[in-house]
Amino acid sequence: MQTIDMQEVSLRDVNATLHEQAETTNQTTWTLENPKGAHAIACGLDAPIEVTVKGSTGYYCAGMNQQATVNIKGSAGPGVAENMMSGTVIIDGDASQYAGATGHGGLLVIKGNASSRCGISMKGIDIVVHGNIGHMSAFMAQSGNLVVCGDAGEALGDSLYEARLFVRGSVKSLGADCIEKEMRPEHLEILTDLLERAGSDAKPSEFKRYGSARKLYNFNIDNAY
């Protein structure tokens, strides 16, 4: 295991060292100490390595991640795992705004709570939040799965496309074109797998599913002025 003290090594050099593994992948386990809320830690990784950040992070940690597993032993600032393509990002604490925004793939696990706009414009990513999420989460979400083991804030799934939303607790309000939908066996299967992979002991039977009513797909003459 390789250990880097971010008090002694610049962020640019830390990320450059991790990026080198896309070519070599000889040193597969890394620990970053003393992050002290630095921004853009472990961004743009593209190798099957595991990076543990021992502390809380600033903006855009693990953004654009591919293949790597990033473990944050603290909380994460805005935009964690933004535009993630594959791999796994696990946050032991809370996540700030727009966690997993525009994510195309991979798994984002938030063991605490997530703030507003969690999963905004998600495009295939799977997000599991052990706690609650804030308002406008999954706004314009296109595909993928958002699992919330706690409660959801206002305007959940506003202008939703084909993403699946699973919420165990209460939903303060649904956004435009988002409705509760039937939980069919195939959805329970998807949910069971995601909960297991995220290390949650929540029961799939306790969740409700939400999705698009598909009323915004086509032009409606009644809406014309």
Side-chain angles (χ1 to χ4, degrees):
M1 181 177 70
Q2 309 299 309
T3 299
I4 300 177
D5 189 339
M6 295 188 66
Q7 278 190 313
E8 300 177 356
V9 182
S10 71
L11 175 62
R12 181 182 293 273
D13 288 342
V14 168
N15 283 339
T17 299
L18 297 176
H19 290 169
E20 289 173 0
Q21 302 311 304
E23 301 294 333
T24 61
T25 321
N26 289 328
Q27 299 166 323
T28 59
T29 307
W30 295 80
T31 297
L32 307 182
E33 296 182 338
N34 297 310
K36 293 189 174 180
H39 304 316
I41 297 173
C43 274
L45 301 185
D46 189 9
I49 61 176
E50 182 171 354
V51 178
T52 298
V53 184
K54 299 186 74 173
S56 296
T57 67
Y59 286 79
Y60 300 115
C61 180
M64 301 178 289
N65 186 61
Q66 294 190 83
Q67 302 189 68
T69 297
V70 180
N71 299 281
I72 301 172
K73 301 298 183 180
S75 294
V80 64
E82 186 266 346
N83 204 36
M84 180 174 170
M85 305 301 286
S86 62
T88 304
V89 176
I90 302 170
I91 304 165
D92 281 357
D94 300 322
S96 190
Q97 302 179 79
Y98 36 92
T102 73
H104 287 252
L107 174 65
L108 169 61
V109 179
I110 302 168
K111 294 187 177 180
N113 302 308
S115 187
S116 60
R117 296 173 174 84
C118 179
I120 186 173
S121 194
M122 51 192 281
K123 298 175 173 67
I125 189 175
D126 292 322
I127 303 175
V128 180
V129 182
H130 287 219
N132 308 317
I133 60 172
H135 66 270
M136 292 293 290
S137 290
F139 171 65
M140 292 190 71
Q142 295 164 42
S143 64
N145 300 284
L146 172 60
V147 179
V148 183
C149 299
D151 302 328
E154 296 176 338
L156 175 69
D158 189 78
S159 303
L160 187 69
Y161 288 84
E162 292 303 305
R164 291 177 289 263
L165 314 180
F166 302 97
V167 182
R168 184 187 187 192
S170 64
V171 176
K172 191 163 187 180
S173 67
L174 295 175
D177 212 41
C178 183
I179 60 173
E180 184 178 345
K181 291 194 165 186
E182 177 189 5
M183 182 80 84
R184 298 195 297 269
E186 62 265 33
H187 303 124
L188 286 170
E189 185 176 343
I190 291 169
L191 182 54
T192 299
D193 176 65
L194 287 171
L195 290 170
E196 183 178 340
R197 289 166 57 199
S200 172
D201 58 2
K203 298 178 181 178
S205 59
E206 298 173 340
F207 288 76
K208 293 181 179 179
R209 179 173 76 97
Y210 301 89
S212 174
R214 302 189 178 97
K215 290 184 178 179
L216 298 181
Y217 276 26
N218 302 297
F219 174 73
N220 187 336
I221 190 63
D222 293 335
N223 295 331
Y225 292 94

